[in-house]
Coordinates of all heavy atoms in Angstrom, one line a residue:
L717 N -0.1 -11.9 28.8 CA 0.6 -10.6 28.7 C -0.2 -9.6 28.1 O -0.1 -8.4 28.5 CB 2.0 -10.9 28.1 CG 2.7 -9.5 27.7 CD1 3.2 -8.9 29.2 CD2 4.0 -9.9 27.1
P718 N -0.9 -9.9 27.0 CA -1.9 -8.8 26.6 C -2.7 -8.2 27.5 O -2.9 -6.9 27.4 CB -2.8 -9.5 25.5 CG -2.0 -10.8 25.1 CD -1.2 -11.1 26.3
E719 N -3.1 -8.8 28.6 CA -3.9 -8.2 29.6 C -3.1 -7.2 30.4 O -3.7 -6.2 30.9 CB -4.5 -9.3 30.6 CG -5.6 -10.1 29.9 CD -4.8 -11.4 29.2 OE1 -3.6 -11.6 29.4 OE2 -5.5 -11.9 28.4
L720 N -1.8 -7.4 30.6 CA -0.9 -6.5 31.3 C -0.3 -5.4 30.5 O 0.1 -4.4 31.1 CB 0.3 -7.3 31.9 CG -0.3 -8.4 33.0 CD1 0.9 -9.2 33.5 CD2 -1.0 -7.9 34.1
L721 N -0.1 -5.7 29.2 CA 0.7 -4.8 28.3 C 0.2 -3.4 28.3 O 1.1 -2.5 28.6 CB 0.8 -5.3 26.9 CG 1.6 -4.5 25.9 CD1 3.1 -4.6 26.3 CD2 1.5 -5.2 24.6
D722 N -1.1 -3.3 28.1 CA -1.6 -1.8 28.1 C -1.3 -0.9 29.4 O -0.9 0.1 29.4 CB -3.1 -1.9 27.6 CG -3.6 -0.5 27.3 OD1 -2.9 0.1 26.4 OD2 -4.7 -0.1 27.8
G723 N -1.6 -1.7 30.5 CA -1.4 -1.1 31.7 C -0.1 -0.6 32.0 O 0.4 0.5 32.5
L724 N 0.9 -1.6 31.6 CA 2.3 -1.4 31.8 C 2.9 -0.2 31.0 O 3.6 0.6 31.4 CB 3.2 -2.5 31.6 CG 3.0 -3.6 32.7 CD1 3.7 -5.0 32.3 CD2 3.7 -3.1 34.1
L725 N 2.4 -0.1 29.7 CA 2.7 0.9 28.8 C 2.2 2.2 29.3 O 2.9 3.2 29.2 CB 2.2 0.7 27.5 CG 3.0 -0.4 26.7 CD1 2.3 -0.8 25.4 CD2 4.4 -0.1 26.4
N726 N 1.0 2.2 29.9 CA 0.4 3.4 30.5 C 1.3 4.0 31.6 O 1.4 5.2 31.8 CB -1.0 3.2 30.9 CG -1.7 4.5 31.4 OD1 -1.7 5.4 30.7 ND2 -2.5 4.3 32.4
M727 N 1.8 3.1 32.5 CA 2.7 3.4 33.6 C 4.0 4.1 33.2 O 4.6 4.8 34.0 CB 3.0 2.2 34.5 CG 1.9 1.7 35.2 SD 2.3 0.1 36.2 CE 0.7 -0.6 36.6
L728 N 4.4 3.9 31.9 CA 5.7 4.5 31.6 C 5.5 5.9 31.4 O 6.6 6.6 31.5 CB 5.9 4.0 30.2 CG 6.4 2.6 29.9 CD1 6.8 2.2 28.5 CD2 7.7 2.2 30.8
S729 N 4.4 6.5 31.5 CA 4.2 8.0 31.4 C 3.8 8.5 32.8 O 3.4 9.7 32.9 CB 3.3 8.5 30.3 OG 1.9 8.0 30.6
D730 N 3.8 7.8 33.7 CA 3.4 8.1 35.2 C 4.4 9.2 35.7 O 5.5 9.2 35.4 CB 3.4 6.9 36.2 CG 2.8 7.3 37.3 OD1 3.4 7.8 38.3 OD2 1.6 6.8 37.5
P731 N 3.8 10.1 36.4 CA 4.7 11.2 37.0 C 5.8 10.7 38.0 O 6.8 11.4 38.2 CB 3.8 12.2 37.6 CG 2.4 11.6 37.3 CD 2.4 10.4 36.7
N732 N 5.4 9.5 38.6 CA 6.3 9.1 39.7 C 7.5 8.3 38.9 O 7.2 7.3 38.3 CB 5.5 8.2 40.6 CG 6.4 7.7 41.7 OD1 7.4 7.1 41.5 ND2 5.8 7.7 42.9
R733 N 8.6 8.6 39.1 CA 9.8 8.1 38.4 C 9.9 6.4 38.8 O 10.2 5.7 38.0 CB 11.1 8.8 38.8 CG 12.4 8.3 38.3 CD 13.5 8.9 38.6 NE 14.7 8.3 38.1 CZ 15.9 8.6 38.4 NH1 16.2 9.5 39.3 NH2 16.9 8.0 37.7
E734 N 9.7 6.2 40.0 CA 9.8 4.8 40.6 C 8.9 4.0 39.8 O 9.2 2.7 39.4 CB 9.7 4.7 42.0 CG 9.9 3.2 42.4 CD 10.1 3.1 44.0 OE1 10.5 4.1 44.6 OE2 9.7 2.1 44.5
I735 N 7.5 4.4 39.6 CA 6.6 3.6 38.9 C 7.0 3.4 37.4 O 6.9 2.3 36.9 CB 5.3 4.4 39.0 CG1 4.8 4.3 40.3 CG2 4.2 3.7 37.9 CD1 3.4 4.9 40.6
R736 N 7.6 4.5 36.7 CA 8.1 4.4 35.4 C 9.2 3.4 35.3 O 9.3 2.5 34.4 CB 8.7 5.7 34.9 CG 7.5 6.9 34.6 CD 8.2 7.9 33.8 NE 9.3 8.6 34.5 CZ 9.3 9.5 35.4 NH1 8.2 10.0 35.8 NH2 10.4 10.1 35.8
Q737 N 10.1 3.4 36.3 CA 11.2 2.5 36.3 C 10.7 1.0 36.4 O 11.3 0.1 35.8 CB 12.2 2.8 37.4 CG 13.0 4.1 37.0 CD 13.9 4.4 38.1 OE1 13.8 4.2 39.3 NE2 15.1 5.0 37.8
Q738 N 9.9 0.7 37.4 CA 9.4 -0.6 37.6 C 8.6 -1.1 36.3 O 8.5 -2.3 36.0 CB 8.5 -0.6 38.8 CG 9.2 -0.4 40.0 CD 10.3 -1.5 40.3 OE1 10.1 -2.6 40.2 NE2 11.4 -1.1 40.7
A739 N 7.7 -0.2 35.8 CA 7.0 -0.6 34.5 C 8.1 -1.0 33.4 O 7.9 -2.0 32.7 CB 6.1 0.5 34.1
D740 N 9.1 -0.2 33.2 CA 10.1 -0.5 32.3 C 10.7 -1.8 32.4 O 11.0 -2.6 31.5 CB 11.1 0.7 32.2 CG 12.1 0.5 31.0 OD1 11.7 0.1 29.9 OD2 13.2 0.8 31.3
F741 N 11.1 -2.0 33.7 CA 11.8 -3.3 34.0 C 10.9 -4.5 33.8 O 11.4 -5.5 33.2 CB 12.1 -3.3 35.5 CG 12.9 -4.6 35.9 CD1 14.1 -4.7 35.7 CD2 12.3 -5.4 36.8 CE1 14.9 -5.9 36.0 CE2 12.9 -6.5 37.1 CZ 14.3 -6.9 36.9
A742 N 9.6 -4.5 34.1 CA 8.6 -5.6 33.9 C 8.4 -5.6 32.4 O 8.5 -6.9 32.0 CB 7.3 -5.1 34.5
L743 N 8.4 -4.6 31.6 CA 8.3 -4.8 30.2 C 9.4 -5.4 29.5 O 9.4 -6.2 28.6 CB 8.0 -3.3 29.6 CG 6.6 -2.8 29.8 CD1 6.5 -1.4 29.4 CD2 5.7 -3.6 28.9
L744 N 10.7 -5.1 30.0 CA 12.0 -5.8 29.6 C 12.0 -7.2 29.7 O 12.4 -8.0 29.0 CB 13.2 -5.1 30.1 CG 13.5 -3.6 29.6 CD1 14.6 -2.9 30.5 CD2 13.9 -3.7 28.1
E745 N 11.5 -7.5 31.0 CA 11.4 -9.0 31.4 C 10.5 -9.7 30.5 O 10.6 -10.9 30.1 CB 10.9 -9.1 32.9 CG 12.2 -8.9 33.8 CD 11.8 -9.3 35.3 OE1 10.7 -9.6 35.6 OE2 12.7 -9.1 36.1
F746 N 9.3 -9.0 30.3 CA 8.3 -9.7 29.4 C 8.8 -9.9 28.0 O 8.6 -10.9 27.4 CB 7.0 -9.0 29.4 CG 6.1 -9.1 30.6 CD1 5.5 -8.1 31.2 CD2 5.9 -10.4 31.2 CE1 4.8 -8.2 32.3 CE2 5.1 -10.6 32.2 CZ 4.6 -9.5 32.9
L747 N 9.5 -9.0 27.5 CA 10.1 -8.9 26.2 C 11.1 -10.1 26.1 O 11.1 -10.9 25.1 CB 10.7 -7.6 25.8 CG 11.1 -7.6 24.3 CD1 10.0 -7.9 23.3 CD2 11.6 -6.0 24.0
Q748 N 12.0 -10.2 27.1 CA 12.9 -11.3 27.0 C 12.1 -12.7 27.1 O 12.6 -13.6 26.5 CB 13.8 -11.3 28.3 CG 14.7 -10.0 28.3 CD 15.5 -10.1 27.0 OE1 16.1 -11.1 26.6 NE2 15.6 -8.9 26.4
E749 N 11.1 -12.8 27.8 CA 10.2 -14.1 27.8 C 9.7 -14.3 26.4 O 9.5 -15.5 26.0 CB 9.0 -14.1 28.9 CG 9.6 -14.3 30.1 CD 8.3 -14.3 31.2 OE1 7.3 -15.0 30.9 OE2 8.4 -13.6 32.3
I750 N 9.1 -13.4 25.7 CA 8.6 -13.4 24.4 C 9.7 -13.9 23.5 O 9.2 -14.9 22.7 CB 7.9 -12.1 24.0 CG1 6.7 -11.8 24.8 CG2 7.7 -12.1 22.6 CD1 6.1 -10.4 24.6
K751 N 10.8 -13.5 23.8 CA 11.9 -14.1 22.8 C 12.1 -15.4 22.8 O 12.7 -16.1 22.0 CB 13.2 -13.3 22.9 CG 13.1 -11.8 22.6 CD 14.5 -11.1 22.9 CE 14.4 -9.6 22.6 NZ 15.6 -8.9 22.8
T752 N 11.8 -16.0 24.0 CA 12.2 -17.6 24.2 C 11.0 -18.4 24.0 O 11.0 -19.7 24.2 CB 12.7 -17.7 25.6 OG1 11.7 -17.3 26.5 CG2 13.9 -17.0 25.8
T753 N 9.7 -17.9 23.7 CA 8.6 -18.7 23.4 C 7.9 -18.4 22.0 O 8.1 -17.3 21.4 CB 7.6 -18.4 24.5 OG1 6.5 -19.3 24.3 CG2 7.0 -16.9 24.5
S754 N 7.2 -19.4 21.6 CA 6.7 -19.3 20.3 C 5.1 -19.0 20.5 O 4.5 -18.9 19.5 CB 6.9 -20.5 19.3 OG 6.3 -21.6 20.1
D755 N 4.6 -19.1 21.7 CA 3.2 -18.9 21.9 C 2.8 -17.5 22.3 O 2.5 -17.3 23.5 CB 2.7 -20.0 23.0 CG 1.2 -20.0 23.2 OD1 0.6 -19.7 22.1 OD2 0.7 -20.3 24.2
V756 N 2.8 -16.7 21.4 CA 2.7 -15.2 21.6 C 1.5 -14.8 20.7 O 1.4 -15.0 19.5 CB 3.9 -14.3 21.2 CG1 3.7 -12.9 21.5 CG2 5.0 -14.9 22.1
D757 N 0.6 -14.0 21.4 CA -0.6 -13.5 20.5 C -0.3 -12.2 20.0 O -0.5 -11.1 20.4 CB -1.8 -13.2 21.6 CG -3.1 -12.9 20.9 OD1 -3.0 -12.7 19.7 OD2 -4.1 -12.8 21.6
V758 N 0.5 -12.3 18.8 CA 1.1 -11.3 18.1 C 0.0 -10.3 17.6 O 0.2 -9.1 17.8 CB 1.8 -11.7 16.8 CG1 2.3 -10.6 16.0 CG2 2.9 -12.5 17.3
G759 N -1.1 -10.7 17.2 CA -2.1 -9.7 16.8 C -2.7 -8.9 17.8 O -2.7 -7.7 17.7
R760 N -3.2 -9.5 18.9 CA -3.7 -8.7 20.0 C -2.7 -7.8 20.5 O -2.9 -6.6 20.9 CB -4.2 -9.7 21.1 CG -4.9 -9.0 22.1 CD -5.7 -10.1 22.9 NE -6.2 -9.5 24.1 CZ -6.5 -10.2 25.2 NH1 -6.2 -11.4 25.3 NH2 -6.8 -9.5 26.3
M761 N -1.4 -8.3 20.7 CA -0.4 -7.4 21.3 C 0.0 -6.3 20.3 O 0.2 -5.2 20.7 CB 0.8 -8.1 21.9 CG 0.5 -9.1 23.0 SD 1.7 -10.2 23.6 CE 3.0 -9.1 24.0
S762 N 0.0 -6.5 19.0 CA 0.3 -5.5 18.1 C -0.7 -4.3 18.1 O -0.4 -3.2 18.0 CB 0.4 -6.1 16.7 OG 1.5 -7.0 16.6
H763 N -2.0 -4.8 18.2 CA -3.0 -3.7 18.3 C -2.9 -2.9 19.4 O -2.9 -1.6 19.4 CB -4.5 -4.4 18.3 CG -4.8 -4.9 17.0 ND1 -5.0 -4.2 15.9 CD2 -4.9 -6.2 16.6 CE1 -5.4 -5.0 14.8 NE2 -5.4 -6.2 15.3
I764 N -2.4 -3.4 20.6 CA -2.1 -2.4 21.8 C -1.0 -1.7 21.4 O -1.1 -0.5 21.9 CB -1.9 -3.4 23.1 CG1 -3.3 -4.2 23.4 CG2 -1.4 -2.6 24.1 CD1 -3.0 -5.4 24.4
L765 N 0.1 -2.3 21.0 CA 1.3 -1.4 20.7 C 1.0 -0.3 19.8 O 1.5 0.8 20.0 CB 2.4 -2.3 20.2 CG 3.0 -3.3 21.2 CD1 3.9 -4.3 20.5 CD2 3.8 -2.5 22.3
V766 N 0.3 -0.5 18.7 CA -0.1 0.4 17.7 C -0.9 1.6 18.4 O -0.5 2.8 18.1 CB -0.7 -0.2 16.5 CG1 -1.4 0.8 15.5 CG2 0.3 -1.0 15.7
A767 N -1.8 1.2 19.1 CA -2.6 2.1 19.8 C -1.6 3.1 20.8 O -1.9 4.3 20.8 CB -3.7 1.6 20.6
R768 N -0.7 2.6 21.4 CA 0.1 3.2 22.4 C 1.2 4.0 21.6 O 1.8 5.0 22.3 CB 0.7 2.3 23.3 CG -0.3 1.9 24.4 CD -0.5 3.0 25.3 NE -1.5 2.7 26.2 CZ -2.1 3.4 27.2 NH1 -1.7 4.7 27.2 NH2 -2.9 3.1 27.9
A769 N 1.4 3.8 20.4 CA 2.5 4.6 19.6 C 2.1 6.0 19.7 O 2.9 6.9 19.3 CB 2.7 3.9 18.3
A770 N 0.8 6.2 19.7 CA 0.2 7.6 19.6 C 0.4 8.5 20.8 O 0.0 9.6 21.0 CB -1.1 7.6 19.2
S771 N 1.2 7.8 21.8 CA 1.1 8.5 23.1 C 2.1 9.8 23.0 O 2.9 9.9 22.2 CB 2.0 7.6 24.0 OG 2.3 8.2 25.2
A772 N 1.7 10.7 23.8 CA 2.5 11.9 23.8 C 3.7 11.9 24.5 O 4.8 12.7 24.4 CB 1.6 13.0 24.6
D773 N 3.9 10.8 25.4 CA 5.2 10.5 26.1 C 6.2 9.9 25.2 O 6.0 8.7 24.5 CB 4.9 9.5 27.2 CG 6.0 9.3 28.1 OD1 6.6 10.1 28.7 OD2 6.5 8.2 28.1
E774 N 7.3 10.5 25.0 CA 8.3 10.0 24.2 C 9.0 8.6 24.5 O 9.4 7.8 23.7 CB 9.5 10.9 24.0 CG 9.1 12.2 23.2 CD 10.3 13.1 23.0 OE1 11.4 12.8 23.3 OE2 10.1 14.3 22.6
F775 N 9.1 8.4 25.8 CA 9.6 7.2 26.4 C 8.7 6.0 26.0 O 9.1 4.8 25.7 CB 9.9 7.2 27.8 CG 10.6 5.9 28.4 CD1 11.8 5.5 27.9 CD2 9.9 5.1 29.4 CE1 12.4 4.3 28.4 CE2 10.6 4.0 29.9 CZ 11.8 3.7 29.4
T776 N 7.3 6.2 26.0 CA 6.4 5.3 25.8 C 6.5 5.0 24.3 O 6.4 3.8 23.8 CB 4.9 5.6 26.2 OG1 4.9 5.9 27.5 CG2 3.9 4.8 25.7
Q777 N 6.6 6.0 23.4 CA 6.8 5.8 22.0 C 8.1 5.0 21.7 O 7.9 4.0 20.9 CB 7.0 7.1 21.2 CG 5.6 7.9 21.3 CD 5.8 9.3 20.7 OE1 7.0 9.8 20.4 NE2 4.8 10.1 20.6
L778 N 9.1 5.2 22.4 CA 10.4 4.4 22.2 C 10.2 3.1 22.5 O 10.7 2.2 21.8 CB 11.5 5.1 22.8 CG 12.9 4.4 22.8 CD1 13.3 4.4 21.3 CD2 13.8 5.1 23.7
T779 N 9.5 2.9 23.6 CA 9.3 1.5 24.1 C 8.5 0.6 23.1 O 8.8 -0.4 22.7 CB 8.6 1.4 25.4 OG1 9.5 2.2 26.5 CG2 8.4 0.0 26.0
V780 N 7.4 1.2 22.7 CA 6.5 0.7 21.6 C 7.2 0.3 20.3 O 7.1 -0.7 19.8 CB 5.2 1.6 21.3 CG1 4.7 1.1 20.1 CG2 4.4 1.5 22.6
I781 N 8.0 1.2 19.9 CA 8.7 1.0 18.6 C 9.7 -0.1 18.8 O 9.9 -1.0 18.0 CB 9.5 2.3 18.2 CG1 8.4 3.4 17.7 CG2 10.3 2.0 16.9 CD1 7.4 3.1 16.7
T782 N 10.4 -0.3 19.9 CA 11.4 -1.3 20.4 C 10.6 -2.6 20.2 O 10.9 -3.6 19.6 CB 12.0 -1.1 21.6 OG1 12.7 0.2 21.5 CG2 12.9 -2.2 22.0
W783 N 9.4 -2.7 20.9 CA 8.6 -4.0 20.9 C 8.2 -4.2 19.5 O 8.3 -5.5 19.2 CB 7.4 -3.8 21.9 CG 7.7 -4.1 23.3 CD1 8.5 -3.3 24.2 CD2 7.0 -5.1 24.0 NE1 8.5 -3.9 25.3 CE2 7.6 -5.0 25.4 CE3 6.3 -6.1 23.7 CZ2 7.3 -5.9 26.4 CZ3 5.8 -6.8 24.7 CH2 6.3 -6.9 26.0
L784 N 7.7 -3.3 18.7 CA 7.3 -3.7 17.4 C 8.4 -4.3 16.5 O 8.2 -5.2 15.7 CB 6.7 -2.5 16.7 CG 5.3 -2.0 17.3 CD1 4.9 -0.6 16.7 CD2 4.2 -3.1 16.9
H785 N 9.5 -3.6 16.6 CA 10.8 -4.1 16.0 C 11.1 -5.5 16.4 O 11.3 -6.3 15.5 CB 12.0 -3.2 16.4 CG 13.2 -3.7 15.8 ND1 14.1 -4.5 16.5 CD2 13.8 -3.4 14.5 CE1 15.2 -4.8 15.6 NE2 14.9 -4.1 14.5
E786 N 11.0 -5.9 17.7 CA 11.2 -7.3 18.1 C 10.1 -8.1 17.5 O 10.6 -9.3 17.2 CB 11.2 -7.4 19.6 CG 12.5 -6.6 20.2 CD 13.8 -7.3 19.9 OE1 13.9 -8.5 19.5 OE2 14.8 -6.6 20.0
F787 N 8.9 -7.7 17.6 CA 7.8 -8.7 17.0 C 8.1 -8.9 15.5 O 7.9 -10.0 15.1 CB 6.5 -7.9 17.2 CG 5.8 -8.0 18.5 CD1 6.7 -8.5 19.7 CD2 4.5 -8.1 18.6 CE1 6.0 -8.7 20.9 CE2 3.9 -8.4 19.9 CZ 4.6 -8.6 21.0
V788 N 8.4 -8.0 14.8 CA 8.7 -8.2 13.4 C 9.9 -9.1 13.2 O 9.9 -10.0 12.4 CB 9.1 -6.8 12.6 CG1 9.5 -7.1 11.1 CG2 7.6 -6.0 12.5
A789 N 10.9 -8.9 14.0 CA 12.0 -9.8 13.9 C 11.8 -11.2 14.3 O 12.4 -12.1 13.7 CB 13.3 -9.2 14.8
L790 N 11.0 -11.4 15.3 CA 10.7 -12.7 15.8 C 9.6 -13.4 15.2 O 9.7 -14.7 14.8 CB 10.3 -12.6 17.4 CG 11.4 -12.1 18.2 CD1 10.8 -11.9 19.7 CD2 12.5 -13.1 18.4
S791 N 8.6 -12.7 14.8 CA 7.5 -13.3 14.2 C 7.5 -13.5 12.6 O 6.6 -14.2 12.1 CB 6.1 -12.5 14.6 OG 6.1 -12.4 16.0
G792 N 8.2 -12.6 12.0 CA 8.3 -12.7 10.4 C 6.9 -12.6 9.9 O 6.2 -11.5 10.0
S793 N 6.7 -13.6 9.1 CA 5.4 -13.6 8.2 C 4.0 -13.4 9.1 O 3.0 -13.1 8.6 CB 5.2 -14.9 7.3 OG 5.2 -15.9 8.1
K794 N 4.1 -13.8 10.4 CA 2.9 -13.8 11.3 C 2.6 -12.2 11.5 O 1.4 -12.0 11.8 CB 3.2 -14.3 12.6 CG 3.4 -15.9 12.6 CD 3.5 -16.4 14.1 CE 3.7 -17.8 14.1 NZ 4.0 -18.2 15.5
M795 N 3.5 -11.4 11.2 CA 3.2 -9.9 11.4 C 2.6 -9.4 10.2 O 2.2 -8.2 10.2 CB 4.5 -9.2 11.7 CG 4.9 -9.4 13.2 SD 3.7 -8.7 14.3 CE 4.0 -6.9 13.9
L796 N 2.6 -10.0 9.1 CA 2.1 -9.3 7.8 C 0.8 -8.8 7.9 O 0.5 -7.6 7.4 CB 2.2 -10.4 6.7 CG 3.6 -10.7 6.0 CD1 3.6 -11.7 5.0 CD2 4.3 -9.5 5.5
P797 N -0.1 -9.5 8.5 CA -1.5 -8.9 8.6 C -1.6 -7.5 9.4 O -2.5 -6.8 9.3 CB -2.3 -9.9 9.3 CG -1.7 -11.2 9.1 CD -0.2 -10.8 9.0
Y798 N -0.6 -7.3 10.1 CA -0.6 -6.0 11.0 C 0.5 -5.0 10.5 O 0.5 -4.1 11.1 CB -0.3 -6.6 12.5 CG -1.0 -7.6 12.8 CD1 -0.4 -9.1 13.0 CD2 -2.3 -7.6 13.1 CE1 -1.1 -10.1 13.4 CE2 -3.1 -8.8 13.5 CZ -2.5 -10.0 13.6 OH -3.0 -11.1 13.9
M799 N 1.2 -5.3 9.5 CA 2.3 -4.3 9.0 C 1.6 -3.0 8.6 O 2.5 -2.0 8.8 CB 3.0 -4.9 7.8 CG 4.0 -6.2 8.4 SD 4.9 -5.8 9.7 CE 6.1 -4.5 9.0
A800 N 0.5 -2.9 7.9 CA 0.1 -1.6 7.6 C -0.2 -0.7 8.7 O 0.2 0.5 8.7 CB -1.3 -1.8 6.8
D801 N -0.7 -1.2 9.9 CA -0.9 -0.5 11.1 C 0.5 -0.1 11.6 O 0.7 1.0 12.2 CB -1.7 -1.3 12.1 CG -3.2 -1.5 11.7 OD1 -3.6 -0.7 11.0 OD2 -3.8 -2.4 12.1
V802 N 1.4 -1.0 11.7 CA 2.8 -0.9 12.3 C 3.4 0.3 11.5 O 4.0 1.1 12.0 CB 3.6 -2.2 12.3 CG1 5.0 -1.9 12.7 CG2 2.9 -3.2 13.2
L803 N 3.4 0.1 10.2 CA 4.1 1.0 9.3 C 3.5 2.5 9.6 O 4.2 3.6 9.4 CB 4.2 0.7 7.9 CG 5.1 -0.6 7.7 CD1 4.9 -1.0 6.3 CD2 6.5 -0.3 7.9
G804 N 2.2 2.5 9.9 CA 1.5 3.8 10.0 C 1.8 4.4 11.1 O 1.8 5.7 11.2
V805 N 2.4 3.8 12.3 CA 2.8 4.5 13.4 C 4.3 4.9 13.5 O 4.7 5.7 14.2 CB 2.4 3.7 14.7 CG1 0.9 3.6 14.7 CG2 3.1 2.5 14.8
I806 N 5.0 4.5 12.5 CA 6.4 4.7 12.5 C 6.8 5.7 11.6 O 6.9 6.8 11.7 CB 7.3 3.5 12.0 CG1 7.1 2.2 12.9 CG2 8.7 3.8 11.7 CD1 7.7 1.0 12.5

């Protein structure tokens, strides 16, 4: 998923509505999968999310914040090394 995450987040700001909707749907499916597995590269994905939080697109920002919230809720102490960056974008 880290390989796909950046591209999907980028598609959320695409001018084509259908592309935005499909990217959002794919991201929602991935997030649901993440909730059911314990094998998630939290660090790599957090770095991607933090970088995308600076997007000028509000929908991308909202999606990133939602993902970061879920990561904190699911990963607990595994997120501690990344919390300074996460808090910096919120």
Side-chain angles (χ1 to χ4, degrees):
L717 181 60
E719 296 81 17
L720 301 174
L721 184 60
D722 193 47
L724 286 170
L725 289 170
N726 189 42
M727 289 180 197
L728 291 177
S729 61
D730 193 276
N732 184 309
R733 181 178 177 193
E734 187 170 326
I735 291 174
R736 290 191 310 266
Q737 288 176 330
Q738 291 299 318
D740 184 43
F741 181 73
L743 285 164
L744 288 172
E745 283 187 355
F746 284 135
L747 188 56
Q748 292 306 315
E749 279 186 45
I750 288 170
K751 289 180 181 181
T752 62
T753 185
S754 60
D755 188 27
V756 177
D757 189 351
V758 174
R760 191 164 163 209
M761 292 176 59
S762 294
H763 286 295
I764 293 168
L765 292 168
V766 166
R768 284 293 175 178
S771 171
D773 181 66
E774 289 182 12
F775 186 59
T776 301
Q777 291 174 353
L778 176 62
T779 302
V780 166
I781 297 299
T782 300
W783 273 64
L784 288 170
H785 176 265
E786 291 294 334
F787 274 25
V788 170
L790 294 170
S791 301
S793 62
K794 289 182 183 177
M795 282 294 292
L796 283 176
Y798 315 104
M799 288 307 293
D801 291 335
V802 170
L803 292 173
V805 299
I806 295 178

